[in-house]
Amino acid sequence: MAKYANVIVDISHEKLDKTFQYLIPEELQSEVKEGVLVEIPFGHRNITGYVVEVTDEVEFEESRLKPLHNIKKGSVPIESQLIALAAWMRRNYGGTMNQALKTVIPIKQKTKAIERKTLRLLLSREEAIHTLAKYEENKRTVARAKLLRELMEEMELDYTLVTQKLHISPAIIKSLEKEQILAIDVSTEYRNPVNHLESKGYHLTLNERQQAVVDQVTENMDEGISKTYLLKGVTGSGKTEVYMELIAHTIAMGKQAIVLIPEIALTYQTVMRFYNRFGDKVSIMNSRLSPGERYDQYLRAKNGDIDIMIGPRSALFAPFSNLGLIIIDEEHETSYKSETVPRYHARETAIERARMNHASVVLGSATPSLDSYYAAKQGEYELLELTQRVQEKPLPTCEVIDLREELKNGNRSILSEKLQMLMEDRLNKKQQMMLFLNRRGVAGFMSCRSCGYVVKCPHCDVSLSQHNNGRMVCHYCGYEEPAPTKCPSCGSKYISGFKAGTQKIEQIVKERFPQARVLRMDFDTTRTKDSYEEILQTFANQEADVLIGTQMIVKGHDFPNVTLVGILAADMSLHVSDFHAAERTFQLLTQAAGRAGRGDEPGDVIIQTYNPEHYAILTAQEQDYESFYEQEVTYRMLMSYPPIWNLLVIMCTSEQEGQLEFATKKVFGHLEKTLKTEERLQGERIQLIGPANATISKVNDVYRKVIYIKTKEYQNLVLLKEQMEWYIRDNKDFQNVSVQFDFNPMNGF
Ligand code: ADP
Ligand code: ZN
Ligand code: ZN
């Protein structure tokens, strides 16, 4: 039983950055835990504070510590739960308590009252129809037509929603106000993106399969059984409708719900579906909110003004007092893992938060992560399935093109003969197509264009990465060899790094099909705030024939007129030096393929590859998740990778190369020693690998080295992490070296 409590005082006064230590009186030692609200002496006053840590480590002179008075009686404030969650995150993912606290609780901003503007239609129905017809005739008034159509539907629209989600410029709104087509109403209140919408309570009648899934969850809820469910449902099987029904049930029970959706899929259409059903009980969070707006959303949740919080990862920390349900859509997405300390995974953290609240968790995906499906197979999650699309649309036909054959036949273009033929055909039929380049991170691998051979690490079975010095390096173990000049397998000289960008492809397509209207969506074209949705909107309006892009284009909107999807080089994601490579490839291919044939016309999918026999490609072609899973899990088992084992990456960084080298060796040495001496680790199978250079071994003049630890039990890794944290703390060898921990990383290092 711990003797000391580290306490932060009165959060609402911005004292997030300091803890104070108190003695825990003996009679309270069993009750004082992380997150508990306690009464403490502070200066000459008595105030309250939250216990953020209980420990046996004294931070000051014991004689100078004061005992805390009491545990505060009465209702448990919501913050205590989030603090307990932060403590859990700190323990399980590393970093400081402050970093964890800042992740779960937004810092209070002094916010002045905010003006909220709403647009109101001033025209009668007839006048509106007449004006709309006029706008629709003229190419230059497309935006006006769009706004008017939306206003005719809703009568009132939130100003920021119109500018941010519909992309109507303030100038246009102003001129419509001048022409007395609309009025702008101003009011002051909480910043709420879509406050004035009336809930229409609109909902579809679920089909039998959807209803069965809903019943299975709600029956448990009603009996007070909370679980984690994995809803595996093909795209278009009606998962979102299922979520909404579960949310309605949750609200009817007097509880609240959190819905996590990857930011990139958080489009106007998605958000409107929730508003149409639940009205202003909904709030959204996204990365564009200012800290002040973020804090307002936090208050609205805390005050009980809303019941549903929708948003990316961080929406998980909405301070609902009676949380009943957490939904994580597209649960396989890597964006659910934080890339900053604490590097938490939203799925695991959601499950922990749900456990604290006795709430249910529903994970949804058409292509569940290997982690989740494995957990479902182990009986940890309950598996729910939707195997058919709502409107019985057939899945598209899918053909694999062997690029090695194309090369043999003298076609050195990135567009295979078959793909060119189909593109020609679709252009003639005025149908649309998407060309997809599944680039991911740094694709530094080398492959042979004649036989498909890829240079791999003999120890780790991941691709070696090309370095500038002409050597091939493994980022899991540091193994190196010189880059080959001819293929070790077939002797061909066509062995090289894989380089092709979306820009190059755009150029090739425009040369080959001068008549085609081509749009490109990638990191470069989506830098500005709303360009992502603008491009999607342009394509949806059929103002372009071809959309070329990276993974960004496989999410979000439905394009019924798309009847051809070309995946240009499936290999690009297959050989990145990351043990998830096959899983990501399968997910991307399946999702990209799912874009074709969503309208009335059937669709074709072309997958181009140098490795037509790879299981990730074959199973994606067949849209056969089970078969992919079986083969992938075998690989993970053989190599002791997650989800079978757990993996901890210790990343050391420094501007001083020499010091980094020294410190990393120190960490490694101390790890080796700990494995030998730590009692709790005796008899455990633990692999220590490294130190090696990180995939990107130098960023902005900061050098990066990694150490890997593999073991079956996650808690072994937590224990080792704690030992390392203690070792590093106040150790002068680490003055200029930063050490970070990443548990089961999602993106290779
Ligand atoms: P998913 O989230 O699995 O991709 P959605 O919930 O978006 O699927 O549903 C796909 C489409 O089918 C949507 O346009 C939705 O409105 C429609 N839909 C879903 N359930 C039903 C239903 N029970 N009856 C009619 N249409 C439905
Ligand atoms: Zn070869
Ligand atoms: Zn290796």
Side-chain angles (χ1 to χ4, degrees):
M1 228 150 286
K3 291 204 303 224
Y4 311 102
N6 294 332
V7 175
I8 48 170
V9 297
D10 208 4
I11 283 202
S12 56
H13 285 94
E14 301 174 30
K15 281 282 162 73
L16 276 171
D17 49 350
K18 191 157 171 42
T19 62
F20 298 88
Q21 196 161 55
Y22 290 87
L23 285 169
I24 308 175
E26 219 156 281
E27 68 275 15
L28 291 178
Q29 281 184 357
S30 60
E31 290 167 71
V32 172
K33 294 192 188 81
E34 280 150 3
V36 165
L37 189 61
V38 288
E39 294 177 316
I40 45 172
F42 195 77
H44 299 294
R45 295 179 298 153
N46 287 325
I47 59 167
T48 55
Y50 295 101
V51 177
V52 295
E53 191 174 27
V54 288
T55 173
D56 283 324
E57 252 189 281
V58 67
E59 283 178 5
F60 305 96
E61 270 170 66
E62 167 130 24
S63 60
R64 290 176 56 199
L65 290 186
K66 294 180 191 167
L68 55 85
H69 293 319
N70 239 321
I71 294 177
K72 174 120 175 135
K73 303 273 177 323
S75 71
V76 186
I78 177 61
E79 276 84 359
S80 74
Q81 194 199 92
L82 289 174
I83 289 166
L85 190 63
W88 179 90
M89 287 163 70
R90 192 194 72 86
R91 195 166 50 245
N92 282 279
Y93 301 109
T96 65
M97 191 61 197
N98 283 339
Q99 286 168 319
L101 280 172
K102 282 179 181 148
T103 308
V104 302
I105 297 175
I107 294 159
K108 182 171 180 174
Q109 302 278 326
K110 297 223 166 31
T111 53
K112 57 177 168 46
I114 272 289
E115 288 189 343
R116 223 182 47 79
K117 293 193 253 180
T118 351
L119 307 185
R120 182 161 43 88
L121 184 63
L122 293 176
L123 303 182
S124 70
R125 181 98 199 141
E126 266 147 40
E127 287 167 336
I129 290 170
H130 179 74
T131 312
L132 180 62
K134 212 173 66 195
Y135 286 162
E136 278 175 341
E137 273 169 20
N138 191 336
K139 270 229 155 86
R140 260 178 271 141
T141 49
V142 178
R144 284 159 198 253
K146 186 152 92 180
L147 176 54
L148 189 52
R149 263 197 304 274
E150 212 65 36
L151 270 174
M152 287 167 71
E153 187 99 338
E154 307 284 347
M155 294 312 288
E156 276 187 17
L157 285 174
D158 183 83
Y159 187 92
T160 41
L161 187 81
V162 168
T163 51
Q164 289 186 9
K165 289 281 176 193
L166 289 179
H167 312 296
I168 311 283
S169 71
I172 288 181
I173 298 174
K174 210 166 194 163
S175 76
L176 288 183
E177 186 191 20
K178 252 196 198 134
E179 292 170 40
Q180 302 212 328
I181 287 171
L182 56 80
I184 304 177
D185 301 328
V186 182
S187 61
T188 36
E189 54 188 291
Y190 283 137
R191 280 155 287 206
N192 174 4
V194 209
N195 206 353
H196 273 196
L197 284 181
E198 281 291 307
S199 159
K200 298 192 198 114
Y202 172 78
H203 61 99
L204 298 159
T205 311
L206 297 187
N207 65 35
E208 248 170 67
R209 298 180 298 263
Q210 288 168 313
Q211 192 62 52
V213 167
V214 167
D215 289 346
Q216 205 166 332
V217 178
T218 53
E219 275 164 24
N220 281 337
M221 279 178 161
D222 292 342
E223 284 175 26
I225 303 168
S226 42
K227 285 190 183 176
T228 300
Y229 304 88
L230 174 60
L231 174 55
K232 175 169 176 276
V234 296
T235 36
S237 58
K239 292 188 291 297
T240 311
E241 294 299 323
V242 168
Y243 301 152
M244 290 200 283
E245 200 61 34
L246 293 175
I247 293 167
H249 194 87
T250 305
I251 294 175
M253 292 172 79
K255 299 184 175 192
Q256 301 94 36
I258 292 170
V259 184
L260 302 189
I261 295 179
E263 178 118 26
I264 202 156
L266 203 58
T267 56
Y268 180 74
Q269 272 81 353
T270 322
V271 169
M272 281 317 281
R273 279 175 81 177
F274 284 90
Y275 279 121
N276 282 340
R277 175 130 182 205
F278 299 107
D280 60 8
K281 286 287 169 200
V282 180
S283 180
I284 357 168
M285 277 210 193
N286 61 47
S287 62
R288 289 183 202 139
L289 296 186
S290 67
E293 288 173 315
R294 201 166 268 275
Y295 195 73
D296 281 355
Q297 302 315 306
Y298 183 83
L299 279 187
R300 294 178 71 219
K302 190 171 144 79
N303 297 342
D305 295 339
I306 53 167
D307 289 326
I308 306 164
M309 180 66 87
I310 304 176
R313 204 170 60 218
S314 58
L316 181 56
F317 307 112
F320 286 131
S321 58
N322 196 8
L323 184 64
L325 176 66
I326 303 174
I327 287 164
I328 305 184
D329 192 28
E330 310 280 359
E331 66 85 30
H332 61 276
E333 278 291 312
T334 55
S335 62
Y336 284 125
K337 177 84 190 276
S338 171
E339 297 282 342
T340 54
V341 179
R343 296 174 188 270
Y344 68 98
H345 198 298
R347 187 197 309 125
E348 296 156 353
T349 312
I351 291 170
E352 176 62 15
R353 181 156 190 215
R355 193 192 59 75
M356 293 173 168
N357 287 268
H358 211 62
S360 305
V361 178
V362 176
L363 311 169
S365 175
T367 50
S369 62
L370 219 71
D371 301 334
S372 294
Y373 204 60
Y374 182 73
K377 292 257 177 188
Q378 302 289 103
E380 234 177 281
Y381 305 164
E382 187 169 324
L383 185 64
L384 308 168
E385 288 196 78
L386 290 171
T387 52
Q388 280 159 49
R389 287 185 169 181
V390 173
Q391 295 117 348
E392 316 261 327
K393 299 253 162 62
L395 289 167
T397 57
C398 199
E399 188 176 342
V400 173
I401 302 286
D402 187 344
L403 286 175
R404 297 170 304 186
E405 292 296 316
E406 294 286 316
L407 187 70
K408 258 190 216 152
N409 298 335
N411 176 19
R412 295 180 60 179
S413 161
I414 186 79
L415 307 174
S416 64
E417 291 297 334
K418 179 74 190 265
L419 183 58
Q420 290 185 37
M421 194 191 86
L422 288 173
M423 287 175 72
E424 183 92 60
D425 173 70
R426 300 304 136 101
L427 284 171
N428 290 338
K429 288 184 186 153
K430 304 245 174 302
Q431 293 171 355
Q432 291 174 292
M433 65 206 88
M434 290 163 100
L435 298 182
F436 172 57
L437 196 68
N438 44 332
R439 259 188 98 94
R440 206 180 141 256
V442 263
F445 67 91
M446 273 185 111
S447 66
C448 171
R449 292 179 64 188
S450 299
C451 76
Y453 177 86
V454 174
V455 186
K456 285 193 171 182
C457 173
H459 311 296
C460 306
D461 202 30
V462 296
S463 310
L464 295 181
S465 283
Q466 235 175 335
H467 276 220
N468 292 340
N469 59 10
R471 297 186 70 80
M472 306 292 298
V473 182
C474 172
H475 295 301
Y476 282 77
C477 72
Y479 171 86
E480 278 190 30
E481 62 180 47
T485 48
K486 58 183 199 211
C487 175
S489 173
C490 75
S492 159
K493 64 182 185 342
Y494 288 114
I495 186 160
S496 64
F498 210 107
K499 294 183 208 81
T502 39
Q503 217 165 342
K504 177 87 184 145
I505 287 161
E506 181 183 21
Q507 189 192 335
I508 292 169
V509 170
K510 279 181 170 162
E511 274 164 24
R512 173 67 182 76
F513 302 103
Q515 76 275 33
R517 296 168 299 168
V518 183
L519 269 181
R520 171 165 67 93
M521 178 147 88
D522 54 24
F523 186 70
D524 287 331
T525 61
T526 53
R527 277 208 196 150
T528 62
K529 222 165 135 198
D530 290 321
S531 40
Y532 170 72
E533 275 201 55
E534 268 164 40
I535 294 172
L536 289 177
Q537 201 56 51
T538 310
F539 194 59
N541 293 345
Q542 302 191 18
E543 290 159 27
D545 307 300
V546 188
L547 176 60
I548 299 170
T550 53
Q551 19 275 50
M552 288 179 185
I553 64 173
V554 305
K555 319 238 154 64
H557 293 217
D558 254 0
F559 305 109
N561 197 39
V562 169
T563 56
L564 174 63
V565 168
I567 293 150
L568 298 177
D571 312 64
M572 285 202 89
S573 59
L574 200 51
H575 302 308
V576 290
S577 55
D578 175 352
F579 69 86
H580 295 98
E583 180 178 1
R584 301 279 178 268
T585 302
F586 177 81
Q587 286 162 350
L588 285 170
L589 296 187
T590 314
Q591 283 179 8
R595 295 293 114 192
R598 292 170 83 95
D600 299 328
E601 298 291 325
D604 283 301
V605 177
I606 297 291
I607 300 178
Q608 305 188 149
T609 174
Y610 293 99
N611 289 262
E613 61 291 314
H614 193 286
Y615 64 92
I617 289 171
L618 290 176
T619 52
Q621 180 192 9
E622 302 290 333
Q623 307 254 321
D624 186 351
Y625 181 91
E626 290 296 325
S627 164
F628 170 75
Y629 172 81
E630 291 302 332
Q631 297 182 66
E632 181 66 10
V633 115
T634 309
Y635 159 70
R636 303 280 178 97
M637 229 172 251
L638 270 172
M639 303 304 297
S640 308
Y641 283 131
I644 318 297
W645 276 34
N646 287 288
L647 174 67
L648 171 62
V649 183
I650 303 180
M651 158 107 90
C652 307
T653 57
S654 175
E655 286 184 9
Q656 265 103 49
E657 199 175 9
Q659 276 189 36
L660 176 66
E661 180 104 28
F662 182 71
T664 313
K665 281 203 183 117
K666 281 273 197 182
V667 175
F668 197 83
H670 192 70
L671 280 167
E672 280 180 320
K673 188 168 149 224
T674 311
L675 291 189
K676 286 204 199 91
T677 53
E678 170 60 54
E679 235 171 79
R680 285 168 290 180
L681 296 177
Q682 298 317 307
E684 295 287 322
R685 282 171 61 210
I686 300 173
Q687 286 178 26
L688 211 55
I689 308 158
N693 285 331
T695 308
I696 308 171
S697 57
K698 189 175 161 189
V699 179
N700 294 333
D701 290 324
V702 174
Y703 296 89
R704 304 161 18 125
K705 283 188 173 293
V706 286
I707 295 169
Y708 293 86
I709 312 171
K710 284 200 241 175
T711 181
K712 197 151 177 79
E713 296 304 322
Y714 194 95
Q715 286 312 312
N716 289 342
L717 296 179
V718 172
L719 200 108
L720 281 169
K721 182 215 73 180
E722 274 170 356
Q723 300 282 336
M724 289 308 118
E725 282 178 336
W726 282 327
Y727 174 67
I728 290 159
R729 195 183 294 166
D730 302 326
N731 184 332
K732 64 179 179 355
D733 292 333
F734 293 85
Q735 260 167 10
N736 300 310
V737 178
S738 137
V739 179
Q740 292 188 6
F741 301 89
D742 195 348
F743 287 79
N744 293 331
M746 300 289 280
N747 297 307
F749 268 108

